[in-house]
Amino acid sequence: MTSDTAIQNILNSGEYIRCKHILIKNDEGDDKEANGELIRQLHDRAESGEDFDKLMQEYGEDPGVTSNPDGYYFFRGEMAEEFEKAAFSLRENQISDIVTTEFGFHIIQRLPKEEAYIDDHFEEIKESYQNTRMYQLLDEIISKQKVEFCEEYDT
């Protein structure tokens, strides 16, 4: 179990961030070219200073935004790899280039962490970190295992 002090140190490092994003999904049957054009237009508008939150509310297709209107807080290892790589490379208030994941196209905005949020949700954050770390360790162990099937496998 990780101590509160260790968790606080991690929270103060670059390993825990807060972001919002505009998601345009690429579900089966969607016109990916049209979605690509839309996300390019939205990116241009966001880069030119248009209100990111308004663009996100009007066009974004992330159902989680309703329960996370102030953005997502997350540790490394919790999000899709491409999303995470882009998000952790941003400075606070910076907007990403267009990021493609299995979920669709994203424009990510990294936001400053709010101390009040961290204080109010510390136990949840601590549990999230411990769960994320446990699954990372399990993945490492599993990836090192070798499975061999014997002759009697099918019997």
Side-chain angles (χ1 to χ4, degrees):
M1 182 171 268
T2 310
S3 73
D4 288 0
T5 303
I7 294 291
Q8 197 61 51
N9 289 338
I10 293 164
L11 296 177
N12 292 330
S13 75
E15 297 299 304
Y16 184 72
I17 62 174
R18 175 179 165 225
C19 294
K20 289 184 177 182
H21 73 132
I22 300 168
L23 168 65
I24 302 300
K25 292 182 180 181
N26 272 329
D27 292 330
E28 190 173 323
D30 283 357
D31 183 341
K32 291 185 168 91
E33 285 186 36
N35 290 347
E37 181 57 33
L38 174 59
I39 200 74
R40 282 187 291 281
Q41 291 172 8
L42 293 172
H43 185 265
D44 290 346
R45 291 169 65 181
E47 281 288 319
S48 68
E50 200 164 327
D51 187 286
F52 193 88
D53 287 343
K54 285 183 181 178
L55 292 172
M56 183 179 70
Q57 290 167 2
E58 187 173 343
Y59 296 97
E61 299 178 330
D62 179 2
V65 168
T66 306
S67 56
N68 297 289
D70 295 325
Y72 293 97
Y73 285 82
F74 56 94
F75 293 98
R76 281 190 197 276
E78 289 189 274
M79 298 294 200
E81 185 178 340
E82 304 88 349
F83 184 97
E84 201 170 271
K85 183 178 179 183
F88 277 95
S89 71
L90 297 171
R91 296 179 311 280
E92 286 184 2
N93 298 311
Q94 185 180 8
I95 295 172
S96 72
D97 289 333
I98 297 167
V99 177
T100 305
T101 70
E102 64 185 292
F103 303 104
F105 299 115
H106 308 259
I107 304 167
I108 306 165
Q109 181 182 36
R110 184 164 170 180
L111 302 167
K113 295 178 274 193
E114 295 178 343
E115 290 304 318
Y117 176 88
I118 291 171
D119 292 343
D120 292 346
H121 296 89
F122 186 79
E123 289 304 316
E124 295 167 51
I125 294 167
K126 181 178 175 180
E127 184 177 334
S128 175
Y129 173 77
Q130 290 170 335
N131 287 338
T132 298
R133 187 67 185 125
M134 179 190 68
Y135 285 115
Q136 287 171 338
L137 290 171
L138 284 173
D139 286 344
E140 287 174 27
I141 291 168
I142 290 168
S143 71
K144 294 176 183 174
Q145 302 305 307
K146 182 179 179 184
V147 176
E148 292 183 19
F149 296 98
C150 64
E151 249 179 62
E152 291 81 25
Y153 175 76
D154 289 326
T155 58

mmCIF file of all heavy atoms in Angstrom, residues 39-81:
data_model
loop_
_atom_site.group_PDB
_atom_site.id
_atom_site.type_symbol
_atom_site.label_atom_id
_atom_site.label_comp_id
_atom_site.label_asym_id
_atom_site.label_seq_id
_atom_site.Cartn_x
_atom_site.Cartn_y
_atom_site.Cartn_z
ATOM 1 N N ILE A 39 -13.120 17.507 -37.191
ATOM 2 C CA ILE A 39 -12.142 17.687 -36.107
ATOM 3 C C ILE A 39 -11.071 18.703 -36.517
ATOM 4 O O ILE A 39 -10.603 19.477 -35.684
ATOM 5 C CB ILE A 39 -11.534 16.337 -35.639
ATOM 6 C CG1 ILE A 39 -10.922 16.465 -34.233
ATOM 7 C CG2 ILE A 39 -10.489 15.818 -36.593
ATOM 8 C CD1 ILE A 39 -11.892 16.534 -33.123
ATOM 9 N N ARG A 40 -10.706 18.736 -37.799
ATOM 10 C CA ARG A 40 -9.740 19.747 -38.264
ATOM 11 C C ARG A 40 -10.319 21.152 -38.113
ATOM 12 O O ARG A 40 -9.630 22.074 -37.678
ATOM 13 C CB ARG A 40 -9.324 19.471 -39.712
ATOM 14 C CG ARG A 40 -8.301 18.335 -39.842
ATOM 15 C CD ARG A 40 -7.761 18.187 -41.257
ATOM 16 N NE ARG A 40 -8.747 17.689 -42.215
ATOM 17 C CZ ARG A 40 -9.113 16.414 -42.351
ATOM 18 N NH1 ARG A 40 -8.554 15.494 -41.584
ATOM 19 N NH2 ARG A 40 -10.002 16.058 -43.249
ATOM 20 N N GLN A 41 -11.579 21.312 -38.458
ATOM 21 C CA GLN A 41 -12.235 22.616 -38.300
ATOM 22 C C GLN A 41 -12.305 23.025 -36.828
ATOM 23 O O GLN A 41 -12.031 24.179 -36.481
ATOM 24 C CB GLN A 41 -13.645 22.594 -38.901
ATOM 25 C CG GLN A 41 -13.669 22.493 -40.406
ATOM 26 C CD GLN A 41 -15.081 22.281 -40.944
ATOM 27 O OE1 GLN A 41 -16.064 22.350 -40.211
ATOM 28 N NE2 GLN A 41 -15.166 22.009 -42.241
ATOM 29 N N LEU A 42 -12.667 22.078 -35.979
ATOM 30 C CA LEU A 42 -12.748 22.368 -34.545
ATOM 31 C C LEU A 42 -11.373 22.711 -33.980
ATOM 32 O O LEU A 42 -11.240 23.615 -33.144
ATOM 33 C CB LEU A 42 -13.351 21.176 -33.789
ATOM 34 C CG LEU A 42 -14.821 20.885 -34.095
ATOM 35 C CD1 LEU A 42 -15.253 19.576 -33.459
ATOM 36 C CD2 LEU A 42 -15.713 22.036 -33.643
ATOM 37 N N HIS A 43 -10.346 22.010 -34.451
ATOM 38 C CA HIS A 43 -8.986 22.294 -33.993
ATOM 39 C C HIS A 43 -8.585 23.712 -34.383
ATOM 40 O O HIS A 43 -8.028 24.461 -33.569
ATOM 41 C CB HIS A 43 -7.999 21.272 -34.562
ATOM 42 C CG HIS A 43 -6.620 21.445 -34.039
ATOM 43 N ND1 HIS A 43 -5.669 22.179 -34.712
ATOM 44 C CD2 HIS A 43 -6.047 21.013 -32.896
ATOM 45 C CE1 HIS A 43 -4.562 22.182 -34.011
ATOM 46 N NE2 HIS A 43 -4.759 21.483 -32.897
ATOM 47 N N ASP A 44 -8.879 24.088 -35.626
ATOM 48 C CA ASP A 44 -8.560 25.448 -36.082
ATOM 49 C C ASP A 44 -9.287 26.491 -35.237
ATOM 50 O O ASP A 44 -8.705 27.506 -34.857
ATOM 51 C CB ASP A 44 -8.928 25.628 -37.556
ATOM 52 C CG ASP A 44 -8.023 24.835 -38.493
ATOM 53 O OD1 ASP A 44 -6.952 24.356 -38.041
ATOM 54 O OD2 ASP A 44 -8.391 24.684 -39.681
ATOM 55 N N ARG A 45 -10.544 26.228 -34.935
ATOM 56 C CA ARG A 45 -11.324 27.171 -34.131
ATOM 57 C C ARG A 45 -10.770 27.269 -32.710
ATOM 58 O O ARG A 45 -10.662 28.375 -32.153
ATOM 59 C CB ARG A 45 -12.793 26.748 -34.120
ATOM 60 C CG ARG A 45 -13.455 26.929 -35.476
ATOM 61 C CD ARG A 45 -14.806 26.275 -35.569
ATOM 62 N NE ARG A 45 -15.791 26.888 -34.676
ATOM 63 C CZ ARG A 45 -17.046 26.460 -34.576
ATOM 64 N NH1 ARG A 45 -17.476 25.446 -35.333
ATOM 65 N NH2 ARG A 45 -17.884 27.055 -33.756
ATOM 66 N N ALA A 46 -10.418 26.145 -32.122
ATOM 67 C CA ALA A 46 -9.852 26.146 -30.762
ATOM 68 C C ALA A 46 -8.509 26.863 -30.748
ATOM 69 O O ALA A 46 -8.223 27.666 -29.851
ATOM 70 C CB ALA A 46 -9.712 24.717 -30.244
ATOM 71 N N GLU A 47 -7.674 26.586 -31.745
ATOM 72 C CA GLU A 47 -6.357 27.227 -31.833
ATOM 73 C C GLU A 47 -6.470 28.738 -32.038
ATOM 74 O O GLU A 47 -5.606 29.489 -31.607
ATOM 75 C CB GLU A 47 -5.537 26.620 -32.982
ATOM 76 C CG GLU A 47 -4.900 25.293 -32.649
ATOM 77 C CD GLU A 47 -3.736 25.414 -31.685
ATOM 78 O OE1 GLU A 47 -2.920 26.339 -31.808
ATOM 79 O OE2 GLU A 47 -3.654 24.564 -30.780
ATOM 80 N N SER A 48 -7.531 29.177 -32.692
ATOM 81 C CA SER A 48 -7.695 30.615 -32.927
ATOM 82 C C SER A 48 -8.325 31.326 -31.734
ATOM 83 O O SER A 48 -8.575 32.529 -31.805
ATOM 84 C CB SER A 48 -8.499 30.869 -34.198
ATOM 85 O OG SER A 48 -9.835 30.443 -34.025
ATOM 86 N N GLY A 49 -8.575 30.589 -30.654
ATOM 87 C CA GLY A 49 -9.035 31.224 -29.422
ATOM 88 C C GLY A 49 -10.502 31.067 -29.104
ATOM 89 O O GLY A 49 -10.978 31.591 -28.098
ATOM 90 N N GLU A 50 -11.221 30.328 -29.933
ATOM 91 C CA GLU A 50 -12.638 30.108 -29.629
ATOM 92 C C GLU A 50 -12.737 29.307 -28.321
ATOM 93 O O GLU A 50 -11.873 28.504 -27.990
ATOM 94 C CB GLU A 50 -13.300 29.358 -30.780
ATOM 95 C CG GLU A 50 -14.809 29.512 -30.768
ATOM 96 C CD GLU A 50 -15.455 29.108 -32.077
ATOM 97 O OE1 GLU A 50 -14.849 29.298 -33.159
ATOM 98 O OE2 GLU A 50 -16.579 28.594 -32.015
ATOM 99 N N ASP A 51 -13.811 29.536 -27.575
ATOM 100 C CA ASP A 51 -13.999 28.919 -26.260
ATOM 101 C C ASP A 51 -14.015 27.390 -26.367
ATOM 102 O O ASP A 51 -14.909 26.809 -26.990
ATOM 103 C CB ASP A 51 -15.295 29.422 -25.631
ATOM 104 C CG ASP A 51 -15.464 28.959 -24.206
ATOM 105 O OD1 ASP A 51 -15.774 27.772 -24.004
ATOM 106 O OD2 ASP A 51 -15.273 29.788 -23.290
ATOM 107 N N PHE A 52 -13.008 26.751 -25.752
ATOM 108 C CA PHE A 52 -12.854 25.299 -25.826
ATOM 109 C C PHE A 52 -14.065 24.594 -25.229
ATOM 110 O O PHE A 52 -14.573 23.623 -25.786
ATOM 111 C CB PHE A 52 -11.571 24.866 -25.107
ATOM 112 C CG PHE A 52 -11.161 23.453 -25.381
ATOM 113 C CD1 PHE A 52 -10.359 23.145 -26.462
ATOM 114 C CD2 PHE A 52 -11.577 22.415 -24.558
ATOM 115 C CE1 PHE A 52 -9.978 21.834 -26.730
ATOM 116 C CE2 PHE A 52 -11.204 21.101 -24.811
ATOM 117 C CZ PHE A 52 -10.404 20.816 -25.906
ATOM 118 N N ASP A 53 -14.544 25.092 -24.079
ATOM 119 C CA ASP A 53 -15.685 24.456 -23.410
ATOM 120 C C ASP A 53 -16.935 24.489 -24.287
ATOM 121 O O ASP A 53 -17.672 23.506 -24.351
ATOM 122 C CB ASP A 53 -15.981 25.131 -22.076
ATOM 123 C CG ASP A 53 -14.950 24.794 -21.012
ATOM 124 O OD1 ASP A 53 -14.203 23.813 -21.192
ATOM 125 O OD2 ASP A 53 -14.900 25.513 -20.002
ATOM 126 N N LYS A 54 -17.167 25.599 -24.966
ATOM 127 C CA LYS A 54 -18.345 25.692 -25.838
ATOM 128 C C LYS A 54 -18.229 24.727 -27.007
ATOM 129 O O LYS A 54 -19.197 24.058 -27.375
ATOM 130 C CB LYS A 54 -18.533 27.121 -26.340
ATOM 131 C CG LYS A 54 -19.075 28.049 -25.280
ATOM 132 C CD LYS A 54 -19.324 29.433 -25.834
ATOM 133 C CE LYS A 54 -19.835 30.343 -24.720
ATOM 134 N NZ LYS A 54 -20.042 31.713 -25.178
ATOM 135 N N LEU A 55 -17.041 24.631 -27.593
ATOM 136 C CA LEU A 55 -16.828 23.676 -28.689
ATOM 137 C C LEU A 55 -17.041 22.248 -28.196
ATOM 138 O O LEU A 55 -17.666 21.429 -28.877
ATOM 139 C CB LEU A 55 -15.428 23.838 -29.275
ATOM 140 C CG LEU A 55 -15.152 25.137 -30.029
ATOM 141 C CD1 LEU A 55 -13.664 25.243 -30.372
ATOM 142 C CD2 LEU A 55 -16.011 25.231 -31.280
ATOM 143 N N MET A 56 -16.516 21.963 -27.006
ATOM 144 C CA MET A 56 -16.640 20.624 -26.425
ATOM 145 C C MET A 56 -18.109 20.289 -26.184
ATOM 146 O O MET A 56 -18.562 19.187 -26.510
ATOM 147 C CB MET A 56 -15.834 20.554 -25.124
ATOM 148 C CG MET A 56 -15.817 19.199 -24.470
ATOM 149 S SD MET A 56 -14.816 19.185 -22.964
ATOM 150 C CE MET A 56 -15.833 20.168 -21.872
ATOM 151 N N GLN A 57 -18.855 21.230 -25.622
ATOM 152 C CA GLN A 57 -20.272 20.987 -25.323
ATOM 153 C C GLN A 57 -21.111 20.851 -26.594
ATOM 154 O O GLN A 57 -22.019 20.025 -26.652
ATOM 155 C CB GLN A 57 -20.816 22.106 -24.440
ATOM 156 C CG GLN A 57 -20.257 22.065 -23.041
ATOM 157 C CD GLN A 57 -20.532 23.336 -22.250
ATOM 158 O OE1 GLN A 57 -21.180 24.256 -22.729
ATOM 159 N NE2 GLN A 57 -20.023 23.382 -21.037
ATOM 160 N N GLU A 58 -20.788 21.649 -27.601
ATOM 161 C CA GLU A 58 -21.585 21.634 -28.821
ATOM 162 C C GLU A 58 -21.282 20.433 -29.715
ATOM 163 O O GLU A 58 -22.180 19.836 -30.302
ATOM 164 C CB GLU A 58 -21.362 22.926 -29.613
ATOM 165 C CG GLU A 58 -22.283 23.039 -30.814
ATOM 166 C CD GLU A 58 -22.185 24.388 -31.505
ATOM 167 O OE1 GLU A 58 -21.668 25.347 -30.910
ATOM 168 O OE2 GLU A 58 -22.629 24.466 -32.668
ATOM 169 N N TYR A 59 -20.017 20.052 -29.817
ATOM 170 C CA TYR A 59 -19.621 19.026 -30.788
ATOM 171 C C TYR A 59 -19.121 17.716 -30.169
ATOM 172 O O TYR A 59 -19.155 16.685 -30.825
ATOM 173 C CB TYR A 59 -18.528 19.563 -31.711
ATOM 174 C CG TYR A 59 -18.983 20.705 -32.571
ATOM 175 C CD1 TYR A 59 -18.726 22.020 -32.203
ATOM 176 C CD2 TYR A 59 -19.682 20.472 -33.748
ATOM 177 C CE1 TYR A 59 -19.145 23.086 -32.992
ATOM 178 C CE2 TYR A 59 -20.112 21.527 -34.548
ATOM 179 C CZ TYR A 59 -19.840 22.835 -34.153
ATOM 180 O OH TYR A 59 -20.260 23.870 -34.933
ATOM 181 N N GLY A 60 -18.621 17.786 -28.938
ATOM 182 C CA GLY A 60 -18.006 16.613 -28.328
ATOM 183 C C GLY A 60 -18.977 15.460 -28.152
ATOM 184 O O GLY A 60 -20.161 15.655 -27.866
ATOM 185 N N GLU A 61 -18.460 14.253 -28.321
ATOM 186 C CA GLU A 61 -19.279 13.045 -28.249
ATOM 187 C C GLU A 61 -18.863 12.122 -27.105
ATOM 188 O O GLU A 61 -19.178 10.940 -27.130
ATOM 189 C CB GLU A 61 -19.219 12.296 -29.581
ATOM 190 C CG GLU A 61 -19.754 13.106 -30.733
ATOM 191 C CD GLU A 61 -19.665 12.399 -32.069
ATOM 192 O OE1 GLU A 61 -18.727 11.578 -32.265
ATOM 193 O OE2 GLU A 61 -20.517 12.665 -32.920
ATOM 194 N N ASP A 62 -18.192 12.662 -26.108
ATOM 195 C CA ASP A 62 -17.787 11.866 -24.954
ATOM 196 C C ASP A 62 -18.912 11.872 -23.929
ATOM 197 O O ASP A 62 -19.207 12.912 -23.345
ATOM 198 C CB ASP A 62 -16.508 12.439 -24.337
ATOM 199 C CG ASP A 62 -16.050 11.671 -23.107
ATOM 200 O OD1 ASP A 62 -16.699 10.669 -22.740
ATOM 201 O OD2 ASP A 62 -15.040 12.074 -22.519
ATOM 202 N N PRO A 63 -19.554 10.719 -23.707
ATOM 203 C CA PRO A 63 -20.650 10.687 -22.738
ATOM 204 C C PRO A 63 -20.182 10.968 -21.303
ATOM 205 O O PRO A 63 -20.976 11.364 -20.459
ATOM 206 C CB PRO A 63 -21.224 9.277 -22.874
ATOM 207 C CG PRO A 63 -20.124 8.469 -23.473
ATOM 208 C CD PRO A 63 -19.297 9.412 -24.296
ATOM 209 N N GLY A 64 -18.901 10.802 -21.025
ATOM 210 C CA GLY A 64 -18.369 11.040 -19.693
ATOM 211 C C GLY A 64 -18.254 12.507 -19.320
ATOM 212 O O GLY A 64 -18.055 12.845 -18.153
ATOM 213 N N VAL A 65 -18.398 13.399 -20.296
ATOM 214 C CA VAL A 65 -18.279 14.834 -20.024
ATOM 215 C C VAL A 65 -19.371 15.287 -19.050
ATOM 216 O O VAL A 65 -19.139 16.163 -18.226
ATOM 217 C CB VAL A 65 -18.321 15.646 -21.339
ATOM 218 C CG1 VAL A 65 -18.505 17.127 -21.075
ATOM 219 C CG2 VAL A 65 -17.056 15.403 -22.135
ATOM 220 N N THR A 66 -20.536 14.678 -19.132
ATOM 221 C CA THR A 66 -21.638 15.056 -18.249
ATOM 222 C C THR A 66 -21.247 14.901 -16.784
ATOM 223 O O THR A 66 -21.522 15.773 -15.973
ATOM 224 C CB THR A 66 -22.878 14.185 -18.550
ATOM 225 O OG1 THR A 66 -23.178 14.288 -19.936
ATOM 226 C CG2 THR A 66 -24.075 14.634 -17.735
ATOM 227 N N SER A 67 -20.584 13.806 -16.463
ATOM 228 C CA SER A 67 -20.183 13.579 -15.066
ATOM 229 C C SER A 67 -18.807 14.155 -14.745
ATOM 230 O O SER A 67 -18.398 14.153 -13.590
ATOM 231 C CB SER A 67 -20.234 12.089 -14.728
ATOM 232 O OG SER A 67 -19.439 11.354 -15.619
ATOM 233 N N ASN A 68 -18.099 14.639 -15.756
ATOM 234 C CA ASN A 68 -16.772 15.243 -15.560
ATOM 235 C C ASN A 68 -16.667 16.583 -16.289
ATOM 236 O O ASN A 68 -15.770 16.777 -17.114
ATOM 237 C CB ASN A 68 -15.680 14.294 -16.077
ATOM 238 C CG ASN A 68 -15.628 13.002 -15.327
ATOM 239 O OD1 ASN A 68 -15.215 12.960 -14.186
ATOM 240 N ND2 ASN A 68 -16.083 11.931 -15.959
ATOM 241 N N PRO A 69 -17.558 17.539 -16.002
ATOM 242 C CA PRO A 69 -17.558 18.787 -16.765
ATOM 243 C C PRO A 69 -16.293 19.625 -16.571
ATOM 244 O O PRO A 69 -15.967 20.456 -17.418
ATOM 245 C CB PRO A 69 -18.791 19.526 -16.236
ATOM 246 C CG PRO A 69 -19.012 18.957 -14.876
ATOM 247 C CD PRO A 69 -18.562 17.529 -14.951
ATOM 248 N N ASP A 70 -15.575 19.395 -15.479
ATOM 249 C CA ASP A 70 -14.340 20.144 -15.223
ATOM 250 C C ASP A 70 -13.097 19.420 -15.712
ATOM 251 O O ASP A 70 -11.983 19.833 -15.425
ATOM 252 C CB ASP A 70 -14.214 20.461 -13.730
ATOM 253 C CG ASP A 70 -15.313 21.397 -13.260
ATOM 254 O OD1 ASP A 70 -15.724 22.272 -14.047
ATOM 255 O OD2 ASP A 70 -15.774 21.243 -12.119
ATOM 256 N N GLY A 71 -13.300 18.315 -16.419
ATOM 257 C CA GLY A 71 -12.175 17.570 -16.976
ATOM 258 C C GLY A 71 -11.903 16.282 -16.225
ATOM 259 O O GLY A 71 -12.508 15.994 -15.200
ATOM 260 N N TYR A 72 -11.001 15.513 -16.794
ATOM 261 C CA TYR A 72 -10.593 14.231 -16.224
ATOM 262 C C TYR A 72 -9.248 14.405 -15.531
ATOM 263 O O TYR A 72 -8.321 14.986 -16.089
ATOM 264 C CB TYR A 72 -10.420 13.175 -17.319
ATOM 265 C CG TYR A 72 -11.700 12.779 -18.007
ATOM 266 C CD1 TYR A 72 -12.061 13.347 -19.219
ATOM 267 C CD2 TYR A 72 -12.531 11.822 -17.460
ATOM 268 C CE1 TYR A 72 -13.226 12.975 -19.874
ATOM 269 C CE2 TYR A 72 -13.700 11.441 -18.093
ATOM 270 C CZ TYR A 72 -14.041 12.020 -19.305
ATOM 271 O OH TYR A 72 -15.203 11.638 -19.939
ATOM 272 N N TYR A 73 -9.138 13.868 -14.340
ATOM 273 C CA TYR A 73 -7.860 13.756 -13.639
ATOM 274 C C TYR A 73 -7.408 12.318 -13.827
ATOM 275 O O TYR A 73 -8.198 11.390 -13.650
ATOM 276 C CB TYR A 73 -8.038 14.011 -12.146
ATOM 277 C CG TYR A 73 -8.250 15.462 -11.773
ATOM 278 C CD1 TYR A 73 -9.501 16.056 -11.864
ATOM 279 C CD2 TYR A 73 -7.190 16.226 -11.305
ATOM 280 C CE1 TYR A 73 -9.694 17.380 -11.501
ATOM 281 C CE2 TYR A 73 -7.368 17.553 -10.938
ATOM 282 C CZ TYR A 73 -8.626 18.126 -11.037
ATOM 283 O OH TYR A 73 -8.803 19.436 -10.674
ATOM 284 N N PHE A 74 -6.137 12.113 -14.168
ATOM 285 C CA PHE A 74 -5.679 10.740 -14.372
ATOM 286 C C PHE A 74 -4.166 10.611 -14.219
ATOM 287 O O PHE A 74 -3.424 11.572 -14.374
ATOM 288 C CB PHE A 74 -6.136 10.193 -15.734
ATOM 289 C CG PHE A 74 -5.721 11.021 -16.922
ATOM 290 C CD1 PHE A 74 -4.562 10.727 -17.616
ATOM 291 C CD2 PHE A 74 -6.503 12.080 -17.356
ATOM 292 C CE1 PHE A 74 -4.183 11.480 -18.723
ATOM 293 C CE2 PHE A 74 -6.144 12.832 -18.459
ATOM 294 C CZ PHE A 74 -4.969 12.530 -19.141
ATOM 295 N N PHE A 75 -3.777 9.378 -13.902
ATOM 296 C CA PHE A 75 -2.375 8.989 -13.804
ATOM 297 C C PHE A 75 -1.938 8.395 -15.133
ATOM 298 O O PHE A 75 -2.762 7.945 -15.927
ATOM 299 C CB PHE A 75 -2.185 7.907 -12.725
ATOM 300 C CG PHE A 75 -2.448 8.370 -11.331
ATOM 301 C CD1 PHE A 75 -3.674 8.127 -10.713
ATOM 302 C CD2 PHE A 75 -1.470 9.043 -10.618
ATOM 303 C CE1 PHE A 75 -3.911 8.545 -9.429
ATOM 304 C CE2 PHE A 75 -1.701 9.464 -9.329
ATOM 305 C CZ PHE A 75 -2.929 9.225 -8.730
ATOM 306 N N ARG A 76 -0.629 8.326 -15.328
ATOM 307 C CA ARG A 76 -0.115 7.583 -16.485
ATOM 308 C C ARG A 76 -0.606 6.146 -16.376
ATOM 309 O O ARG A 76 -0.624 5.561 -15.306
ATOM 310 C CB ARG A 76 1.413 7.573 -16.479
ATOM 311 C CG ARG A 76 2.024 8.841 -16.974
ATOM 312 C CD ARG A 76 3.532 8.666 -17.158
ATOM 313 N NE ARG A 76 4.179 9.946 -17.239
ATOM 314 C CZ ARG A 76 4.286 10.655 -18.358
ATOM 315 N NH1 ARG A 76 3.795 10.187 -19.480
ATOM 316 N NH2 ARG A 76 4.885 11.834 -18.343
ATOM 317 N N GLY A 77 -0.994 5.597 -17.514
ATOM 318 C CA GLY A 77 -1.438 4.208 -17.543
ATOM 319 C C GLY A 77 -2.944 4.038 -17.458
ATOM 320 O O GLY A 77 -3.434 2.919 -17.501
ATOM 321 N N GLU A 78 -3.688 5.124 -17.366
ATOM 322 C CA GLU A 78 -5.144 5.007 -17.233
ATOM 323 C C GLU A 78 -5.903 5.256 -18.535
ATOM 324 O O GLU A 78 -7.065 4.877 -18.639
ATOM 325 C CB GLU A 78 -5.670 5.988 -16.180
ATOM 326 C CG GLU A 78 -5.300 5.616 -14.766
ATOM 327 C CD GLU A 78 -6.012 6.486 -13.758
ATOM 328 O OE1 GLU A 78 -5.499 7.579 -13.457
ATOM 329 O OE2 GLU A 78 -7.087 6.063 -13.280
ATOM 330 N N MET A 79 -5.293 5.919 -19.487
ATOM 331 C CA MET A 79 -5.985 6.302 -20.715
ATOM 332 C C MET A 79 -5.392 5.557 -21.912
ATOM 333 O O MET A 79 -4.351 4.924 -21.804
ATOM 334 C CB MET A 79 -5.853 7.812 -20.951
ATOM 335 C CG MET A 79 -6.467 8.660 -19.869
ATOM 336 S SD MET A 79 -8.246 8.425 -19.848
ATOM 337 C CE MET A 79 -8.769 9.876 -19.001
ATOM 338 N N ALA A 80 -6.058 5.688 -23.051
ATOM 339 C CA ALA A 80 -5.528 5.119 -24.290
ATOM 340 C C ALA A 80 -4.131 5.694 -24.529
ATOM 341 O O ALA A 80 -3.880 6.872 -24.276
ATOM 342 C CB ALA A 80 -6.446 5.461 -25.467
ATOM 343 N N GLU A 81 -3.227 4.851 -24.990
ATOM 344 C CA GLU A 81 -1.814 5.215 -25.120
ATOM 345 C C GLU A 81 -1.591 6.501 -25.916
ATOM 346 O O GLU A 81 -0.828 7.384 -25.504
ATOM 347 C CB GLU A 81 -1.049 4.057 -25.756
ATOM 348 C CG GLU A 81 0.431 4.274 -25.829
ATOM 349 C CD GLU A 81 1.170 3.078 -26.424
ATOM 350 O OE1 GLU A 81 0.619 1.961 -26.430
ATOM 351 O OE2 GLU A 81 2.303 3.287 -26.889
#
